[in-house]
Amino acid sequence: MKIKQIVIAGALLVSVTSFAQKDELKALKKIYNKEVIKGDDLAEFKSLADKVQPLAVEEADKVYANFYKCMIPVLEYNAIDKTMAPSQIQMALLKFVNPKSISDLASGLNATLDYEKKTGKKIQTDDINETITSFKPELINFAIKLGDNKNFKESADVLYSIYQLDKKDQQTLYYAANYATNGNDYAKALQYYQELKTLNYTGEGTLYYAKNKASGIEENYPSKNVRDNFVKLGTHISPRDEIIPSRKGEIVRNIALILIDQGKIEEAKVALQEARKENPEDAGLIVSEANIYLKLNDTANYKRLISEALVKSPNDEVLFFNLGVTSANSNQFQDAEKYYRKAIELKPDFIDAYLNLADIVLKPDAKLVEDMNKIKGTSDSELKRYNVLKAERQKLFTKAMPLYEKAHELNPKDDLVKSNLKSVYNYLELTDKVKALKAEN
């Protein structure tokens, strides 16, 4: 009898819990179906969602308990006073929207859609699709804001979650891969790029622009017809189209570069060969493949590929600049100087080329300083040696000076350039130039 009583009591407890859970789900649904959910309603909804989720036992109850829970950030957003300034709305959004809540939202909504597709009962399907359409722009703005603040990894997570919400929007996956790369999260970047490759994403298309007469700002439109209608109305002028080229080559190249970074050389070679098939005229891909052989100390193949790249892009200043970087990294300083000078010849305002070239010019300086510091005595031979080394340093600084001056001319606000130029002037005892440089502050 005692055992039976315990079993009956246990069954009653489960039954009571189940009824309580059902009541709470009904209460959640009642609040959710209200036109406006704010204040006490929102607080009660959040409390009920927290309570009911861990109690759900049946599949349907689990799905909808999770649905209500994951929708809380959307309800909180809808409760924001939209008459506030956009910056204030963004600040309010940050209180409850974060990479995890967006990931949970994507997971919860997709689980609900899958369940309703399986059961054939579209209870929340239309509402979910409407939610995705209306809330997605705010999520994208949130991701952009994270990126602007250099929170690249978090931005990538948010963008990937948005893609999970709307898998037709493959462009969002592309940007998630880019942000993950910028955040040095190469594992996720590789995952996203490989997914894009599997999807055969190209990113090709056309952007339609026209200038708003009232604001003077050029605006982008979703289609040519929409843009042309505004132009016909007379509110917009100067229509133009911008062709977006295929990104397939770029995607496969980035896959290869990440594989190189991970030390997966053979996989990288295969990826680069695929990339070159997609874009045979891309000299950057050839340079990337050449860099693999450079890492393997295969000089013959490295030079062969570099020669091939130069034939394809004889006037590409970026290619010559990248060759300069590659050569400098492999201690081939004469080649590096040659490539940087060619980049400057092709693009006279290429500030990074000037700075890198100045760095190459001054490479011997560290050794000269070391040799000068070794001279401790004051004999004639030692003083003569010291003066020879000093003269060599002066030659280096004299050679580097016009490069820093040009860089400073191109970007007078760059403090590092200004500091380097000041050091050059000081060593060469050009006091008037030092004073003029200080007077710019």
Side-chain angles (χ1 to χ4, degrees):
M1 284 295 295
K2 288 183 179 179
I3 294 175
K4 288 182 181 179
Q5 286 175 343
I6 292 171
V7 171
I8 292 169
L12 286 171
L13 180 61
V14 170
S15 178
V16 170
T17 302
S18 179
F19 279 124
Q21 166 210 310
K22 297 284 187 184
D23 288 342
E24 285 165 341
L25 279 170
K26 287 179 183 177
L28 278 168
K29 185 176 181 180
K30 184 178 179 181
I31 297 172
Y32 186 78
N33 288 335
K34 288 188 176 184
E35 191 70 28
V36 179
I37 306 173
K38 289 186 176 182
D40 291 341
D41 282 340
L42 182 56
E44 184 182 357
F45 184 93
K46 289 163 69 175
S47 176
L48 286 168
D50 286 337
K51 287 178 184 176
V52 76
Q53 194 179 26
L55 298 175
V57 177
E58 297 175 11
E59 183 182 8
D61 295 340
K62 286 181 179 180
V63 168
Y64 290 108
N66 189 42
F67 167 75
Y68 291 127
K69 175 72 174 176
C70 79
M71 281 292 290
I72 288 174
V74 179
L75 300 183
E76 288 185 306
Y77 169 73
N78 290 337
I80 292 175
D81 180 4
K82 300 302 188 300
T83 62
M84 295 190 300
S87 59
Q88 291 177 302
I89 292 175
Q90 275 292 318
M91 287 298 294
L93 195 66
L94 288 172
K95 293 178 181 177
F96 49 83
V97 172
N98 53 63
K100 185 181 184 306
S101 68
I102 297 171
S103 177
D104 290 345
L105 178 67
S107 176
L109 296 190
N110 282 320
T112 308
L113 289 172
D114 290 343
Y115 179 75
E116 294 193 351
K117 185 177 180 180
K118 181 178 75 172
T119 60
K121 297 178 181 179
K122 294 186 175 182
I123 299 170
Q124 298 294 350
T125 294
D126 292 341
D127 181 64
I128 288 172
N129 290 331
E130 184 182 332
T131 296
I132 291 170
T133 301
S134 60
F135 197 48
K136 182 180 165 184
E138 289 300 331
L139 296 180
I140 289 174
N141 287 336
F142 176 64
I144 292 170
K145 191 74 174 176
L146 288 170
D148 290 344
N149 292 330
K150 310 297 182 188
N151 296 320
F152 299 123
K153 290 175 69 173
E154 292 82 356
S155 179
D157 288 342
V158 171
L159 288 166
Y160 187 71
S161 293
I162 295 170
Y163 167 68
Q164 295 297 313
L165 280 171
D166 181 9
K167 290 203 170 184
K168 296 187 296 294
D169 186 3
Q170 296 173 3
Q171 181 172 268
T172 303
L173 176 60
Y174 169 77
Y175 287 117
N178 286 351
Y179 275 114
T181 302
N182 291 340
N184 299 324
D185 192 351
Y186 296 124
K188 284 186 179 177
L190 182 61
Q191 174 195 333
Y192 301 161
Y193 282 129
Q194 287 176 329
E195 191 168 345
L196 286 164
K197 181 171 174 283
T198 301
L199 291 167
N200 200 30
Y201 170 79
T202 67
E204 290 176 286
T206 305
L207 298 175
Y208 302 100
Y209 291 98
K211 185 181 289 186
N212 187 314
K213 275 186 178 179
S215 67
I217 296 172
E218 189 176 55
E219 298 172 342
N220 180 21
Y221 292 88
S223 71
K224 185 177 187 299
N225 287 338
V226 172
R227 189 271 313 277
D228 289 350
N229 284 335
F230 279 102
V231 173
K232 286 176 184 177
L233 288 170
T235 58
H236 290 68
I237 57 173
S238 305
R240 72 176 180 90
D241 298 348
E242 183 179 313
I243 304 298
I244 305 172
S246 173
R247 291 164 170 160
K248 287 181 75 173
E250 173 200 338
I251 288 165
V252 184
R253 178 178 61 204
N254 289 343
I255 289 172
L257 293 175
I258 293 171
L259 290 170
I260 292 170
D261 186 73
Q262 294 177 341
K264 299 174 181 177
I265 303 300
E266 293 306 316
E267 290 181 51
K269 284 181 183 179
V270 172
L272 280 169
Q273 286 164 7
E274 289 181 26
R276 289 187 65 183
K277 285 179 185 176
E278 291 288 346
N279 197 348
E281 299 304 313
D282 189 339
L285 291 173
I286 303 173
V287 173
S288 297
E289 187 175 354
N291 288 341
I292 292 178
Y293 288 106
L294 186 64
K295 286 191 174 189
L296 297 173
N297 295 317
D298 187 342
T299 308
N301 273 317
Y302 171 75
K303 289 185 175 179
R304 173 182 61 79
L305 288 164
I306 290 301
S307 298
E308 185 181 340
L310 292 175
V311 168
K312 288 188 179 294
S313 291
N315 297 313
D316 185 342
E317 71 277 2
V318 175
L319 171 58
F320 280 99
F321 177 80
N322 289 337
L323 289 172
V325 172
T326 301
S327 299
N329 289 341
S330 57
N331 298 322
Q332 298 173 358
F333 299 122
Q334 285 187 335
D335 285 346
E337 181 172 347
K338 177 181 69 176
Y339 290 133
Y340 286 138
R341 290 196 182 280
K342 183 64 177 179
I344 290 168
E345 178 188 325
L346 293 167
K347 190 177 188 296
D349 63 348
F350 202 154
I351 186 169
D352 288 337
Y354 285 103
L355 293 174
N356 284 19
L357 179 54
D359 183 61
I360 293 295
V361 167
L362 292 174
K363 278 290 180 188
D365 187 56
K367 182 67 169 60
L368 290 174
V369 171
E370 182 184 339
D371 290 345
M372 290 171 74
N373 289 335
K374 288 179 181 178
I375 300 172
K376 305 297 184 182
T378 57
S379 66
D380 288 344
S381 61
E382 287 172 319
L383 289 175
K384 184 178 179 181
R385 174 62 180 160
Y386 185 88
N387 288 330
V388 167
L389 293 171
K390 183 178 178 182
E392 288 183 24
R393 282 199 82 199
Q394 287 175 325
K395 285 180 183 178
L396 289 181
F397 279 84
T398 301
K399 188 178 179 181
M401 182 172 68
L403 301 172
Y404 281 126
E405 286 178 332
K406 185 63 179 179
H408 177 59
E409 176 191 323
L410 292 169
N411 188 3
K413 296 188 180 298
D414 190 315
D415 291 334
L416 182 59
V417 172
K418 191 180 289 188
S419 175
N420 287 336
L421 183 55
K422 183 180 175 184
S423 297
V424 169
Y425 285 157
N426 278 324
Y427 186 78
L428 296 175
E429 298 179 355
L430 300 172
T431 54
D432 290 344
K433 288 182 177 288
V434 173
K435 287 178 182 178
L437 200 61
K438 287 181 177 179
E440 293 180 11
N441 295 331

